[in-house]
Amino acid sequence: MGGTMPLLVMKFGGTSVADLSRIKNAAAKVKTEVERGYDVIVIVSAMSGKTNELVGWVESTSPLYDAREYDAVVSSGENVTAGLMALTLQEMDIPARSWQGWQVPIQTTSAHAAARFVDIPRANMDAKFAEGFKVAVVAGFQGVSPEGRITTLGRGGSDTTAVAFAAAFGAERCDIYTDVDGVYTTDPRISPKARKLDKIAFEEMLELASLGAKVLQTRSVELAMRYKVRLRVLSSFEDTDETSGTLVCDEDEIMESKVVSGVAYSRDEAKMTLIRVADRPGVASAIFGPLAEAGVNVDMIVQNISETAAGHSGATTDMTFSVPVNQVARARKAMEEARATGSISYDELVEDTDVAKVSVVGIGMRSQVGVAARMFAALAAENVNIKVIATSEIKISVLIDRKYMELAVQALHDAFELEKA
Ligand code: ADP
Ligand code: ASP
Ligand code: MG
């Protein structure tokens, strides 16, 4: 038994711990909460740029790297900031210590570089809070597999560490401190007209995150929704209080109701088309099965109406799908192997690696018609050609040439009048 005090989780992202003075600034925010009577679990990211550097070192050393060693290397950035944050707090006379994932232990699956939480046992940390520690500083983004190897949670994973701790320890709130002061109608770095939202519904944030808005990792929003964590995004560079930032919450808590609440983009997409695939029952499964087995993340899919072309005995179809641009080689290999074994046949595989995905999201779409028409009209007015379309209950996504991505985001932001409250 620890935690007789109310508890907060405070997460600081890479830019918020980018150097020693920023760590001090973050620690001062933690101190304020301790003085208000909270015990605090602080989750830290690596210093900004560090994880990219570590990934680069791994790839240069071993292009087809062992994923277990990848995780051993890329998880290390968070160990440094956790220790430095604990030291900084100690210098401020706050009893604090650092925790690497395995020390908690944060138990995850063994899916290296994309591990998921299995359990966060409270006993070790509760015992330390009971001894008088006020702050536990946890290295974000990492855990330990059943085999005892270090794992990581996928890029941006410290957000998910924060929400998982908030759920496991029943925290009053999970505050995600970052380099913007909340969630905006679109990335404020792309559109100067982006407007900060006071609140956003879990479902909308989930869509925005999964469609590319990297302000929160998708999985963190899923967990917050499932465990009813009060999740807030706010700036580590400004003075903040209980009302700052953006609260991610249930849709009933939200007054504002617009059809579209945000625009998201994902820059690094690729479109692949299998030309003249022999069409028969089971063909989709013969294509997407091997892609899944190869670990390729297929997103949008379009199958053309089947036709019987001159010179072909049976009907053929074209199958188009989108994948992250860095998975094109893997996808091509999977398709070529499937063709070699005879499980599929096609004439040609066409790749377009200069595309981006732009999406509009809003729970209001459930009950409003005409959103797609408005979206397509706005893109047409800017002469942006749409290559693939995908829709679901609360989002519409289009694949377009990457060079039009920013233009498209701005045009859609204007078309749905997102700058107005
Ligand atoms: P951290 O290092 O703190 O985890 P990230 O870089 O992962 O920060 O996420 C914050 C960034 O997310 C912002 O700097 C912003 O450019 C980007 N972003 C994308 N979409 C949005 C949005 N809708 N609202 C706010 N920020 C967004
Ligand atoms: N440092 C890790 C990354 O850059 C995790 C995080 O910052 O959330 O992906
Ligand atoms: Mg992040």
Side-chain angles (χ1 to χ4, degrees):
M1 237 320 282
T4 47
M5 296 296 214
L7 187 112
L8 279 187
V9 169
M10 302 171 75
K11 179 257 175 178
F12 294 94
T15 39
S16 308
V17 293
D19 56 40
L20 299 185
S21 78
R22 291 202 178 162
I23 292 177
K24 247 189 199 159
N25 165 68
K29 289 190 174 291
V30 177
K31 183 175 183 201
T32 304
E33 300 294 4
V34 171
E35 286 170 351
R36 284 186 182 146
Y38 287 104
D39 281 348
V40 183
I41 298 179
V42 175
I43 312 292
V44 286
S45 288
M47 290 179 177
S48 67
K50 193 66 197 174
T51 308
N52 285 343
E53 182 183 45
L54 295 169
V55 169
W57 288 348
V58 169
E59 288 173 344
S60 305
T61 307
S62 172
L64 292 173
Y65 52 76
D66 173 348
R68 292 163 298 193
E69 301 306 343
Y70 168 97
D71 277 352
V73 175
V74 303
S75 62
S76 66
E78 273 73 9
N79 297 342
V80 175
T81 44
L84 289 172
M85 176 64 82
L87 287 171
T88 309
L89 289 163
Q90 288 172 5
E91 288 295 323
M92 295 174 166
D93 293 323
I94 295 171
R97 64 156 281 186
S98 68
W99 296 81
Q100 294 185 9
W102 64 272
Q103 294 173 306
V104 175
I106 301 172
Q107 296 166 5
T108 72
T109 61
S110 23
H112 284 278
R116 288 177 162 241
F117 288 106
V118 173
D119 192 23
I120 302 180
R122 290 181 51 157
N124 289 345
M125 208 175 264
D126 275 344
K128 290 295 166 190
F129 278 124
E131 274 175 31
F133 280 93
K134 300 304 293 173
V135 182
V137 185
V138 179
F141 180 52
Q142 56 174 259
V144 61
S145 72
E147 294 77 28
R149 301 298 303 255
I150 303 302
T151 54
T152 64
L153 307 172
R155 300 305 304 270
S158 298
D159 297 329
T160 305
T161 307
V163 174
F165 271 83
F169 284 81
E172 205 172 287
R173 242 186 9 246
C174 180
D175 285 343
I176 306 287
Y177 286 88
T178 183
D179 56 2
V180 282
D181 61 352
V183 178
Y184 279 70
T185 48
T186 194
D187 187 345
R189 286 175 216 288
I190 294 261
S191 173
K193 290 190 198 159
R195 177 173 56 89
K196 199 194 98 188
L197 300 164
D198 291 331
K199 293 181 177 177
I200 184 164
F202 283 123
E203 286 87 347
E204 289 175 328
M205 191 63 241
L206 192 58
E207 285 285 0
L208 287 173
S210 72
L211 294 168
K214 71 166 182 166
V215 60
L216 287 173
Q217 197 197 33
T218 308
R219 188 84 186 114
S220 72
V221 186
E222 262 170 39
L223 282 185
M225 192 158 124
R226 166 131 46 98
Y227 294 103
K228 302 246 169 273
V229 171
R230 272 190 103 66
L231 178 61
R232 191 164 67 136
V233 176
L234 68 172
S235 168
S236 68
F237 302 131
E238 290 171 12
D239 284 334
T240 45
D241 60 29
E242 281 91 356
T243 63
S244 307
T246 301
L247 186 69
V248 189
C249 59
D250 281 328
E251 56 184 281
D252 348 321
E253 282 190 59
I254 297 175
M255 305 297 287
E256 188 180 348
S257 75
K258 294 196 108 174
V259 191
V260 166
S261 27
V263 181
Y265 64 87
S266 164
R267 192 184 301 272
D268 300 312
E269 303 281 324
K271 176 166 82 75
M272 304 183 81
T273 304
L274 294 169
I275 310 278
R276 282 185 293 280
V277 183
D279 197 12
R280 51 170 176 76
V283 66
S285 148
I287 292 171
F288 296 107
L291 288 170
E293 268 162 46
V296 175
N297 252 318
V298 174
D299 177 24
M300 303 158 113
I301 299 174
V302 182
Q303 179 177 0
N304 287 11
I305 295 198
S306 194
E307 45 189 89
T308 311
H312 284 261
S313 49
T316 65
T317 182
D318 294 344
M319 188 77 86
T320 299
F321 51 90
S322 70
V323 300
V325 78
N326 62 1
Q327 295 185 355
V328 166
R330 212 186 301 177
R332 185 191 316 121
K333 187 161 167 266
M335 291 299 88
E336 283 167 356
E337 281 171 7
R339 178 154 76 165
T341 64
S343 63
I344 54 173
S345 84
Y346 58 86
D347 281 2
E348 206 186 332
L349 175 55
V350 178
E351 296 167 6
D352 180 354
T353 51
D354 290 320
V355 294
K357 181 172 64 177
V358 176
S359 313
V360 299
V361 170
I363 39 187
M365 275 187 222
R366 285 186 195 136
S367 52
Q368 276 269 348
V369 296
V371 180
R374 216 161 133 192
M375 178 177 190
F376 303 153
L379 295 172
E382 298 292 342
N383 266 317
V384 176
N385 187 36
I386 300 170
K387 300 183 162 207
V388 181
I389 301 168
T391 65
S392 75
E393 200 187 22
I394 66 163
K395 72 120 200 270
I396 304 168
S397 298
V398 295
L399 217 54
I400 59 173
D401 278 330
R402 190 173 300 133
K403 61 176 186 251
Y404 297 129
M405 187 190 83
E406 292 173 19
L407 174 67
V409 168
Q410 282 162 5
L412 295 173
H413 199 271
D414 285 345
F416 290 100
E417 301 185 327
L418 297 185
E419 75 284 4
K420 295 187 199 145

